[in-house]
Every structure is written in structure tokens, then in C-alpha cells.
Amino acid sequence: MSDYTPEEMIATVIAREVRDGETVAVGTLAPVPASGVLLAHFTHAPRARVIIINHPDYWPFRYGSKEFYDFAQRGNIDLFFLSGGQIDRHGNLNLIAVGDARNPRTRLPGGAGAPMLYYQAKRVVLFRTDHSPRIFVDRVDHVTSPGSSPPSVVRPGGPLICVTPLCVFRFDPAARMLVLASVHPGVSREELAQQTGFSLKGNPGAGVTDPPTAAELHLLRTRVREAVARAYPRYAEGAS
Amino acid sequence: MPVAGHVGSDYERLRPEFKVIPNPWAPTQRVLMVPALRCDVALIHALAAAPDGTLCLEPMEDDALLVQASGVVIASAERIMSADEVRASAGVVVEGIHVTAVVELPRGAHPTLVRGHYEVDAAHVAEYQAAAVDDETFRGYLARWVHGPKDHAAYLAEADRL
């Protein structure tokens, strides 16, 4: 029994990846990364330039999402956040469909900016607020955006970590694989193995994720929640 | 037009109109090219419009691009005002040369929102989503909300009554 929610654990892991002074952007449908970025901004990263799509206080553009995408294509984003309907051991993301793309079992929302931002943002944090073998698969059905690219492809950026309610994976660029970095407190290796669709063998050394501190939880539940509510009112109502 | 990233994804298999070519300025690099999207007709909703087609658009949206990509542009607007007043309004201003017709339609974005004017009607969107799961229920939605009301004012009156 813990005194914090899985979302608070994920937001705290995300906050620790944000560096002061860098440009950090959060896309659509991402209240948990928005919480993590603002937690960092309100603590160790006061000089970070924070961009949150649909947030009236953190949207420094005047000409639609095109201006943001052009800004990102020029390589101006240091840290971004992506997810996938499926994520595989190589860090490949599937946002297209589960099953046949023309007659899918599940139609996913589509890639939107993901196939560009996964290359052009210098570091990308992958996140899921649920963790199951249906999501973390050995091989995605369709590659919306690959975890790594050959040298002939212009790719300044790529995956950094993947954070879930159970664990943190770190992307190993040499092995081109997600490697278990830490398991959250109270989560057993057996549970993690059961809920993950790819083998975790060869990941023996993973430690335990540092849980949120009392100060981090206090900020998440007060100032961060109030700020996130400006873009995600329904999420902030539900978070308790 | 070129798009950064993308190369090596399954879009090259699923979207044959996307082409990967050598970068003309750095031929060892491969870049993705996509064809421009051209629309016959665009229907958009503006914050304000003038009778000559000058529009003021929501700055978080990409409607100004859609206007330039479309042959016929029909803009509904929260308010009609003079072209000079539209140009002085907060938002993205589009000149009337791109616009075919304007229609005054307060709350024309319902059940979605116009930031700073009105919020999303979440209950109505939920009804739409539930109806959209199959053709039969969706026909029911169309009969009630699209073909049923005699005009937009009647539609809004019915939506507000619930």
C-alpha cells in the first residue's frame, strides 16, 4: 500500500528527466507528462522553456500548431513525450492500428507529429499510464515511429526512457533496446514479467525507483494540479 | 514538400504517395517527401468575419492553412463586423481573397468550443460518440440533431433545453 498514485510516480520520474534551461514540450492527451514537467519547472528547472499544447499559459505560438511543428522540425525541442497503443522492446511505437491496418481489430489515433518528433526532439520520454502485455509487445504490428534509425537517416534525437505504472525502462542506443532500469516500490519482478509482452531476461541489475518525496507530492497535489487544470480540467477533477 | 523524421516507418508501406528521396544538398541522407493536400471545399468557423471575407481565426488552430489549401472556403463566424474591426481583433487574420462565403452563426462550433467564448458541451459530445458506433444509431443522431431542427437557433434551443 503506497500513499501516492501510479500517475504521481510517473510524473515524478518524468520531472527528474527535465533539465533547467532547456526547451520542454508536451503534446495532446498528456496530463501526466504535463504534471511532471511543471513539477520540475516549479522546483529544479525554473528557467526551462515549457510548452504545453492547449494550455493558455504555456503556448508561446500565434499561428496554430503549424508554428509549433515548424519549431520542432528545426530541432528546437530538447525534451518531448510520446506514447503508443503498442510499444515494443526496440522502442518502436504503433499509433496506427492493432491488426491489419486496412481492417484493424483496433483503430489507433494515428501518428500526427510522432514520426517527426521522435527524430527531431533531442530526448523523448515514452510513457503509459497502464502496463500490460497487450501494450508492451515483442514487435509492434505497425511502426508509426521506429526507436532507432540507420546512419543515412537524419536523426538528432530518440528515446531516453519509458515510464509506466510498474517500472522505468532506459533505451540503450548501442543495443537499440529498452532495458529495465528500475522497478517501482511494491512491484515484484514476477508481476512485471507477467505484464510485459517481451522477455526481461538479461535485465538482472535493475534497482527500485525512488518514490515521490513528501515535498514532490505536496506540489503535485496543489500548485501543479491547479496549473494542469487550466488545460485538463476534467483530469484535475479526477486526480485525488 | 519535405517532412523531417519519418524515414524508416511503416508509412512508406501504408502510404505509397509518400516518397523517400536523397537530400539534394546532402545526397547520403534520405528525406521524406509528401504531396500537398488540396481540398475542394473547406468549412471553417471563425471568431469574426467581414462581409468581404476577411476572417479572424482562433490562434491555436490551423484553419488559416486549410483556407489556403482549399478551392472553396465557407466560413461561419461568431460575429460579423467591418474588415478593419476584424483586422484589429486578437487572433490570426486571413484576407478575404481566400474566402468564398461567410455566414453569421453565433455558437456555430457547438458542441465543441471556441476558446474564450464558450466551453465544450461534453454531454452532447458523449451522445454523439455513443451514436457514432453504428449506422443505425448514427442515423438517429442525424435525424434528431442535423435534419430535425429547422435552423441553427432551433438546434441550439433544443441542445440548451437538455
Side-chain angles (χ1 to χ4, degrees):
Chain A
M1 192 63 200
S2 55
D3 54 1
Y4 51 86
T5 67
E7 286 79 9
E8 287 169 336
M9 178 82 243
I10 295 168
T12 304
V13 169
I14 283 171
R16 292 169 186 156
E17 299 294 344
V18 177
R19 301 174 191 162
D20 197 16
E22 69 180 0
T23 301
V24 189
V26 181
T28 51
L29 302 178
V32 175
S35 302
V37 168
L38 290 173
L39 175 60
H41 192 44
F42 296 158
T43 53
H44 66 268
R47 285 175 297 278
R49 291 199 295 176
V50 175
I51 299 164
I52 301 174
I53 286 184
N54 282 328
H55 199 297
D57 303 328
Y58 296 102
W59 184 248
F61 302 105
R62 292 292 306 154
Y63 299 99
S65 65
K66 178 185 189 295
E67 190 183 3
F68 167 74
Y69 284 121
D70 288 349
F71 182 83
Q73 289 200 64
R74 291 195 297 271
N76 288 322
I77 309 286
D78 295 307
L79 181 63
F80 195 72
F81 304 88
L82 289 174
S83 190
Q86 293 176 321
I87 299 173
D88 72 23
R89 64 189 317 170
H90 297 290
N92 297 320
L93 309 180
N94 178 8
L95 288 157
I96 295 169
V98 177
D100 183 346
R102 313 238 177 259
N103 186 21
R105 250 182 302 141
T106 305
R107 168 72 65 199
L108 298 172
M116 180 273 288
L117 284 154
Y118 210 18
Y119 294 56
Q120 295 301 106
K122 291 189 184 72
R123 300 180 345 272
V124 175
V125 168
L126 306 177
F127 70 99
R128 280 291 313 201
T129 55
D130 49 358
H131 188 135
S132 80
R134 199 173 46 80
I135 295 158
F136 288 95
V137 295
D138 200 55
R139 179 78 198 172
V140 295
D141 292 354
H142 306 282
V143 179
T144 301
S145 200
S148 58
S149 304
S152 62
V153 175
V154 181
R155 181 163 197 167
L160 175 70
I161 62 167
C162 178
V163 55
T164 84
L166 302 184
C167 71
V168 180
F169 297 104
R170 192 159 287 275
F171 188 73
D172 178 342
R176 302 182 162 206
M177 291 230 292
L178 291 172
V179 177
L180 189 62
S182 64
V183 182
H184 298 342
V187 177
S188 71
R189 288 296 294 260
E190 291 70 28
E191 182 189 355
L192 181 61
Q194 275 171 10
Q195 296 302 320
T196 306
F198 52 81
S199 169
L200 298 172
K201 290 199 180 92
N203 293 281
V208 177
T209 317
D210 285 336
T213 64
E216 285 168 332
L217 287 173
H218 177 73
L219 264 178
L220 280 172
R221 291 167 186 178
T222 53
R223 203 173 154 206
V224 169
R225 183 189 296 177
E226 285 158 26
V228 169
R230 298 262 288 149
Y232 293 101
R234 296 182 148 244
Y235 173 81
E237 277 168 25
S240 57
Chain B
M1 60 183 82
V3 179
H6 274 268
V7 177
S9 78
D10 280 346
Y11 282 106
E12 290 153 48
R13 172 171 61 80
L14 295 167
R15 299 289 296 269
E17 72 275 30
F18 290 6
K19 305 291 182 195
V20 174
I21 64 165
N23 178 349
W25 296 282
T28 59
Q29 297 173 349
R30 292 180 292 143
V31 288
L32 181 80
M33 305 293 285
V34 299
L37 287 173
R38 300 301 303 270
C39 308
D40 295 323
V41 181
L43 301 168
I44 63 164
H45 189 65
L47 300 173
D52 71 356
T54 310
L55 305 178
C56 178
L57 302 172
E58 157 65 56
M60 281 195 185
E61 304 299 337
D62 289 308
D63 290 348
L65 280 179
L66 185 57
V67 163
Q68 293 169 76
S70 302
V72 169
V73 175
I74 300 169
S76 55
E78 288 296 315
R79 295 177 62 191
I80 301 291
M81 47 177 77
S82 76
D84 285 344
E85 286 171 319
V86 172
R87 289 191 193 99
S89 304
V92 174
V93 173
V94 168
E95 291 296 328
I97 192 164
H98 302 291
V99 179
T100 313
V102 298
V103 184
E104 185 171 30
L105 204 65
R107 288 180 68 204
H110 185 276
T112 62
L113 78 168
V114 173
R115 292 182 187 86
H117 291 256
Y118 46 89
E119 293 299 315
V120 67
D121 184 341
H124 193 104
V125 171
E127 182 185 336
Y128 178 95
Q129 285 179 319
V133 296
D134 72 49
D135 289 349
E136 185 72 18
T137 51
F138 194 65
R139 270 193 290 274
Y141 178 91
L142 291 177
R144 172 151 193 219
W145 292 108
V146 179
H147 304 302
K150 74 173 169 47
D151 57 20
H152 188 63
Y155 161 85
L156 287 178
E158 177 65 6
D160 288 347
R161 198 176 56 79
L162 300 178

